[in-house]
Amino acid sequence: MIQSIVVPVLLGFAVFMCGMKLMELALHRLAGPYLSQALQRTTKTPLHGLAVGTVSTAFLQSSTAVTVISIGLVNAGLLSFPRTLGIILGTNIGTCLTTELIGLNIQSLSTPLLTASIAVWLLTALLGEVRIWPRLGNPRWLEPVRSAAVAVCGFGLLLAGLTLMQTIGPAVQESAMFDWFIDKAATGVWWGLAAGAILTAAIHSSAAVIGLVMGFVTIGAMPPELGVALVLGANIGTCVTALLASIGGSRSGQYVAYAHTILNIGGALLFLPLISELTAVSDWLSHSPASQIAHAQTIFNIACSVLALPLCYMRAWRRLDTIELH
């Protein structure tokens, strides 16, 4: 069990998280200096905030990063809590890009992506050292290209780690604990919801959990409905990082984390009785079991954000926004 399950999971998870963090840091280096200004200038209405939150999260590949940045701006008094409501809705939509890419089953591209990104990074490093343009210094495009190469390298590592983790599927399927979990899950989808929340809270990565779920559903070890329940739970577990980031901050900063948590828990509870319908719709739109899970998360997050958007236009938020900014 240790060699067939524990070692591949730990190794694959380490590679996956290394790729996630590498990609996040590289993209943050590209957009970070402009992200704070964009959040301040373009969040006058919840709809604008939703658009900015979606785009910035899709670019940074991390809803947690955008949420934490928003909490920091609120704590610093540069952004009011009501203006973050739209951003929070947008982060849930933007984070679907990662799982949609994973759902395309492009794990075989990990080696070419790693090879190409390393070659580009070495080329930019060489040009920076040789200084072909001594009078002009390093060209402006050199640093962005280098950061983009690091981001692509991170995505390649993410795919490689996911491939390693998914190799445990047959061994897990034969284990007694997995049989016990499947039997319990057959009595109610609450088991899947709880498992997804706990796993995501423990490893701080909903993408890793959803990637594993895709692997299990693909090999037939897990029914699609249980996989969708785990996805809903993963959306709850991802709130833990934001709650931890809000500790010790201002009351408004804590409200941002609370709003994120309420949105995800409320959305999961709303869709829990509709898992069969959500599974059927995502199956109709999909070409593979992996893409079915990815589409289910996308439909769920978009629907929750659209349903919650009108609540962000309540007059109470406008008065609070005026008070905080003045």
Side-chain angles (χ1 to χ4, degrees), residues 228-284:
V228 174
L230 281 158
V231 168
L232 300 188
N235 279 272
I236 296 175
T238 195
C239 300
V240 171
T241 307
L243 289 171
L244 291 176
S246 68
I247 295 176
S250 66
R251 182 175 297 179
S252 296
Q254 293 173 357
Y255 287 163
V256 178
Y258 297 156
H260 185 210
T261 304
I262 291 171
L263 170 68
N264 286 11
I265 292 178
L269 294 179
L270 177 65
F271 272 84
L272 196 60
L274 304 173
I275 281 185
S276 297
E277 290 76 9
L278 180 58
T279 305
V281 172
S282 60
D283 180 46
W284 180 69

Side-chain angles (χ1 to χ4, degrees), residues 4-326:
S4 59
I5 297 179
V6 177
V7 173
V9 165
L10 292 179
L11 182 60
F13 178 69
V15 175
F16 182 94
M17 292 305 297
C18 179
M20 281 286 290
K21 290 301 177 184
L22 196 63
M23 185 169 56
E24 180 182 330
L25 290 173
L27 292 174
H28 195 280
R29 188 170 184 177
L30 279 171
Y34 313 102
L35 182 59
S36 297
Q37 296 178 6
L39 291 177
Q40 293 178 58
R41 294 177 180 177
T42 57
T43 56
K44 293 183 179 180
T45 68
L47 184 60
H48 290 157
L50 184 144
V52 172
T54 300
V55 173
S56 56
T57 302
F59 187 82
L60 290 181
Q61 293 289 291
S62 174
S63 61
T64 300
V66 178
T67 304
V68 169
I69 289 172
S70 300
I71 292 174
L73 290 174
V74 172
N75 286 336
L78 300 175
L79 195 67
S80 65
F81 160 65
R83 291 198 178 192
T84 65
L85 294 174
I87 298 174
I88 293 169
L89 300 182
T91 58
N92 280 353
I93 297 176
T95 194
C96 298
L97 178 62
T98 303
T99 49
E100 287 290 349
L101 289 174
I102 295 173
L104 295 175
N105 292 321
I106 55 176
Q107 283 88 333
S108 59
L109 295 178
S110 61
T111 301
L113 287 175
L114 287 171
T115 303
S117 60
I118 292 173
V120 172
W121 185 88
L122 289 174
L123 179 61
T124 57
L126 181 62
L127 291 175
E129 291 296 328
V130 173
R131 296 181 182 275
I132 298 177
W133 300 274
R135 294 182 180 180
L136 301 178
N138 290 334
R140 293 181 178 179
W141 55 264
L142 203 58
E143 195 63 33
V145 170
R146 183 180 301 174
S147 296
V150 174
V152 173
C153 180
F155 185 66
L157 287 174
L158 183 151
L159 295 178
L162 191 64
T163 302
L164 279 172
M165 287 191 290
Q166 291 181 348
T167 59
I168 69 170
V172 170
Q173 192 174 3
E174 296 174 359
S175 66
M177 182 177 294
F178 188 75
D179 290 336
W180 175 86
F181 174 71
I182 293 295
D183 291 339
K184 289 291 185 181
T187 63
V189 291
W190 287 96
W191 285 92
L193 186 76
I198 293 171
L199 284 173
T200 304
I203 66 178
H204 295 282
S205 174
S206 60
V209 173
I210 296 173
L212 277 175
V213 171
M214 289 179 180
F216 288 141
V217 173
T218 299
I219 65 174
M222 181 180 292
E225 287 192 8
L226 178 57
V228 174
L230 281 158
V231 168
L232 300 188
N235 279 272
I236 296 175
T238 195
C239 300
V240 171
T241 307
L243 289 171
L244 291 176
S246 68
I247 295 176
S250 66
R251 182 175 297 179
S252 296
Q254 293 173 357
Y255 287 163
V256 178
Y258 297 156
H260 185 210
T261 304
I262 291 171
L263 170 68
N264 286 11
I265 292 178
L269 294 179
L270 177 65
F271 272 84
L272 196 60
L274 304 173
I275 281 185
S276 297
E277 290 76 9
L278 180 58
T279 305
V281 172
S282 60
D283 180 46
W284 180 69
L285 296 171
S286 307
H287 64 277
S288 67
S291 63
Q292 180 182 4
I293 298 300
H295 293 345
Q297 189 207 16
T298 302
I299 294 169
F300 164 72
N301 281 345
I302 291 177
C304 288
S305 295
V306 170
L307 289 173
L309 184 61
L311 299 177
C312 299
Y313 283 89
M314 295 172 60
R315 292 183 178 180
W317 302 133
R318 297 180 183 178
R319 290 196 296 268
L320 184 59
D321 183 48
T322 303
I323 293 173
E324 288 189 21
L325 292 180
H326 296 86

